[in-house]
Amino acid sequence: MKKKKTWVYAGLVTTAAVGLVLTGCAKEEKTAAPTDGAAPAARGKVSVTVYDRAKIPAEEGNFEKNRWTDYMNKNGPVDLQFVPIPRDKTADKINVLFASGSAPDIIVDYNAPDRSAWYESKQLLPLNDYIDKYSTVYKQQLEKYPVLKKLGTRADGKLYDIGAVRQGDINWMLWVRTDWLKKLNLEVPKTSEDMLKVAKAFVEQDPDGNGKKDTYGLALGGYLNWKVADYMFGVPFNTNYQDQNNAFSVSWKNMQAATAYKKQMFDMGLIDKDFLTDQNGDKAKRDFINGKLGFYMTQRSEAQAVFESLRKNDPNAQVIPIALPSTPNGQFSPAINTPFTMAGVVNVKAKDPKAVIQYIDFLNTEKTVKTLRWGIEGEHYKPNANGCPVPTDAAKNTQERSWNADYSILVSEESMMKCDPVLDLLDVNNATQMDYKKVVEAARKIYLNPSNPMPGSVIDLSLPSLPSELNTILSSVNFDDELKKSVVTGNYSADSVITNIQDTWKKAGGDKVDEFYNNWYKQNKTNAVSIKDVYDLLVEQQKQAGK
């Protein structure tokens, strides 16, 4: 079930809760006592989920209570109860809470299908009236950035999802060992065929110079490296559906081409043939860090650590990000962090909707945003000439800040646009980090270019939630295992696997899902948030930030 959801909505990213997380000891700011003798207004109470990634140091408490939950309770307008939810079991845990009638008031979850399922089962509260009545800050954001309202509005015309404006940035980077290229007198590959040739040389011509044939050119282990060929051949990021001759349909031809390419990689011996056992990509990462892999797709959230580990093992290692090689289907870029996100919904049984809105407004005030993201001024950072944070103590920040990003998923970063959440944190006196800075700057020029955008037509956040009957069909079919089976099976061609998958899809009733999405697209094509919209907002943000 989860795998099928991944096939249709396989998300970016994601990603999206990565970035600058500077936090620290909260200084209490007490609310002034009323001067007219009136009793202070009673504080509302709100419960809210927080991803539990099991990364908080024991000395800092837990995800229910720590320096940052204390800060929000002391300085915010409502009393907060945080409910930790395991990141890898979000939907399962929250569904149990809904079933028992104990789901929190605010549910924070990046996964669009999860939120859509809760909407379909009528477990979410429409927010229009409460925002109009009680909000100032978030209401202004909806007016300034209509895309948030567009994305948060469901099929019944009411607003359910809470969004935030983000600093759009790179997310995935395809790296190549340029010292290997130089040693073997090779050039950066421009096409998919070039890439196979370079990878073959990496396997056969001993680029690490140890006299052994123990290096790989490419990788398929883990989600990131498995998806490289998909994106090269134009398979959309967040949904396999895209505009094809004015019809919104599954990109079967692109999937076939990508699968055939992966099969070439396997048959030519360019990858670790045991990649199926490397489900989370840890083996591919180790191979790259240990100097055994020439091309590697990394995510920005861990890219610096991977880069520094590689350099620690081999101080002479050199890497650059490269554009995804062009294919007969065109040239595209890997996933980026979009300049907005949708991640919050409210339980229909929330007892105090006013307090919920007060909390959302508090989160999005400039002081709260900067405190949760940067920490306490003077303790964790000092502002530079541009007003951007310069960390004061790396060890202190690691101990007290490095784990708190999930408390600020619902905050907009408008007040931070002139600061760089990646490069501002780098140590100018550290040569390795300055080399990493060049990698990031080069990647931005390559991947944030509207000329080579992410593949696809509209972002998954624009897609409507499926009716329960169609969602059941969608959840009943899993394609990933069959595609991987084709890659490792000699006589199972890419054409054959796509034919078999199409047959399975139709037998399950997939034509009904196709019809639903196509009809929706015909009616909403001009209103949906397109890939072009993403890049237009990116360009505008860069202008505003003076970049």
Side-chain angles (χ1 to χ4, degrees):
M1 183 174 183
K2 289 183 179 178
K3 289 184 178 178
K4 179 55 191 152
K5 286 184 178 180
T6 298
W7 173 74
V8 174
Y9 293 97
L12 300 172
V13 83
T14 185
T15 97
V18 294
L20 183 62
V21 248
L22 297 170
T23 47
C25 280
K27 293 180 179 178
E28 183 174 355
E29 298 178 5
K30 296 182 178 179
T31 303
T35 58
D36 58 0
R43 287 165 61 91
K45 295 182 179 179
V46 175
S47 55
V48 55
T49 67
V50 59
Y51 285 139
D52 185 347
R53 302 179 192 265
K55 291 183 178 181
I56 182 170
E59 307 81 50
E60 291 294 312
N62 54 47
F63 281 97
E64 294 179 68
K65 181 175 173 55
N66 53 65
R67 68 180 64 239
W68 304 111
T69 62
D70 288 348
Y71 174 87
M72 287 183 277
N73 273 301
K74 290 176 181 177
N75 296 282
V78 300
D79 293 331
L80 298 166
Q81 175 193 358
F82 289 92
V83 181
I85 304 293
R87 180 63 182 97
D88 60 342
K89 298 179 180 178
T90 304
D92 293 343
K93 176 66 174 179
I94 293 175
N95 286 336
V96 170
L97 294 175
F98 268 126
S100 66
S102 58
D105 299 318
I106 302 175
I107 298 160
V108 181
D109 184 12
Y110 281 121
N111 194 289
D114 292 347
R115 300 196 310 275
S116 293
W118 298 325
Y119 164 76
E120 288 295 333
S121 56
K122 302 185 184 304
Q123 296 180 108
L124 302 184
L125 181 72
L127 302 175
N128 305 69
D129 293 343
Y130 299 109
I131 291 173
D132 288 343
K133 186 174 182 179
Y134 300 121
S135 176
T136 55
V137 179
Y138 190 65
K139 184 191 298 184
Q140 291 172 358
Q141 289 181 2
L142 291 175
E143 293 171 353
K144 186 173 183 178
Y145 300 100
V147 66
L148 296 181
K149 189 170 184 178
K150 183 186 292 188
L151 290 171
T153 300
R154 295 279 176 174
D156 62 1
K158 298 177 181 179
L159 184 70
Y160 289 87
D161 298 70
I162 302 165
V165 177
R166 297 295 198 196
Q167 289 181 281
D169 202 355
I170 57 174
N171 189 12
W172 295 22
M173 293 181 275
L174 179 60
W175 288 351
V176 64
R177 286 287 299 267
T178 50
D179 51 328
W180 286 14
L181 291 176
K182 183 177 181 180
K183 180 178 180 179
L184 302 181
N185 197 28
L186 300 169
E187 295 183 354
V188 172
K190 303 297 184 184
T191 69
S192 54
E193 288 302 314
D194 291 342
M195 183 178 235
L196 293 178
K197 294 176 182 177
V198 172
K200 188 172 187 292
F202 285 169
V203 170
E204 297 180 349
Q205 297 182 30
D206 192 24
D208 61 350
N210 69 351
K212 300 177 181 179
K213 190 176 179 180
D214 59 354
T215 51
Y216 302 111
L218 296 156
L220 287 179
Y223 179 75
L224 271 69
N225 285 284
W226 172 257
K227 295 296 289 185
V228 173
D230 291 340
Y231 302 152
M232 285 171 55
F233 285 87
V235 179
F237 281 91
N238 304 325
T239 169
N240 276 329
Y241 288 86
Q242 62 179 319
D243 189 326
Q244 299 176 96
N245 298 320
N246 294 317
F248 198 58
S249 55
V250 179
S251 52
W252 296 112
K253 291 183 179 179
N254 294 15
M255 291 172 62
Q256 185 277 338
T259 303
Y261 191 75
K262 294 174 187 178
K263 197 170 180 65
Q264 275 187 284
M265 292 163 57
F266 183 88
D267 292 343
M268 293 173 66
L270 308 182
I271 63 171
D272 180 354
K273 292 196 171 184
D274 292 328
F275 75 91
L276 292 177
T277 64
D278 187 21
Q279 295 184 8
N280 58 12
D282 283 349
K283 171 63 163 50
K285 184 194 301 183
R286 289 197 303 272
D287 285 341
F288 183 74
I289 289 173
N290 293 325
K292 299 301 177 185
L293 180 60
F295 291 94
Y296 180 68
M297 181 70 88
T298 186
Q299 199 162 16
R300 196 196 72 186
S301 59
E302 64 174 15
Q304 183 179 342
V306 172
F307 185 86
E308 291 180 346
S309 296
L310 172 66
R311 278 292 182 82
K312 183 177 180 180
N313 288 336
D314 182 358
N316 296 317
Q318 299 290 328
V319 302
I320 61 169
I322 67 169
L324 296 187
S326 64
T327 73
N329 294 354
Q331 186 168 25
F332 307 94
S333 286
I336 63 171
N337 282 337
T338 57
F340 43 76
T341 186
M342 307 301 293
V345 287
V346 178
N347 188 344
V348 70
K349 295 182 179 179
K351 295 180 180 179
D352 193 347
K354 177 181 178 180
V356 168
I357 301 303
Q358 288 177 318
Y359 170 64
I360 298 302
D361 270 16
F362 166 72
L363 272 183
N364 283 281
T365 58
E366 182 174 344
K367 183 172 184 179
T368 306
V369 172
K370 289 183 176 179
T371 300
L372 291 178
R373 290 301 181 90
W374 295 352
I376 305 298
E377 184 176 345
E379 290 186 31
H380 301 94
Y381 76 95
K382 293 180 180 179
N384 63 16
N386 297 322
C388 298
V390 177
T392 57
D393 186 321
K396 181 179 178 67
N397 281 309
T398 297
Q399 174 75 12
E400 299 176 358
R401 302 185 302 99
S402 62
W403 43 267
N404 88 325
D406 291 315
Y407 292 107
S408 57
I409 289 175
L410 300 182
V411 307
S412 284
E413 299 175 343
E414 187 175 22
S415 60
M416 306 163 64
M417 290 299 178
K418 291 187 177 180
C419 303
D420 194 310
V422 179
L423 303 187
D424 284 350
L425 290 176
L426 300 178
D427 183 354
V428 297
N429 298 313
N430 185 308
T432 297
Q433 291 191 16
M434 289 300 96
D435 284 347
Y436 177 69
K437 178 181 179 180
K438 296 176 183 177
V439 169
V440 173
E441 291 172 336
R444 286 172 171 169
K445 290 180 180 179
I446 296 170
Y447 303 135
L448 301 183
N449 183 353
S451 299
N452 297 318
M454 300 183 292
S457 306
V458 300
I459 64 172
D460 67 324
L461 294 174
S462 278
L463 293 178
S465 54
L466 288 169
S468 56
E469 174 193 357
L470 299 186
N471 195 53
T472 299
I473 294 172
L474 182 65
S475 303
S476 69
V477 182
N478 168 34
F479 297 153
D480 286 348
D481 289 345
E482 198 68 14
L483 291 170
K484 290 176 180 177
K485 179 181 177 182
S486 172
V487 170
V488 301
T489 303
N491 59 354
Y492 195 7
S493 70
D495 286 338
S496 295
V497 70
I498 295 300
T499 298
N500 289 344
I501 288 175
Q502 288 176 311
D503 183 59
T504 301
W505 180 236
K506 289 181 180 179
K507 288 180 179 178
D511 285 346
K512 296 178 181 178
V513 179
D514 295 343
E515 182 181 9
F516 176 87
Y517 278 134
N518 191 43
N519 288 338
W520 168 84
Y521 188 68
K522 288 179 180 178
Q523 298 172 17
N524 297 277
K525 178 179 179 180
T526 58
N527 296 322
V529 178
S530 68
I531 299 297
K532 182 181 182 301
D533 291 335
V534 171
Y535 285 87
D536 286 346
L537 185 50
L538 265 178
V539 171
E540 182 60 31
Q541 282 188 352
Q542 291 171 333
K543 289 180 180 178
Q544 292 177 3
K547 297 178 181 178

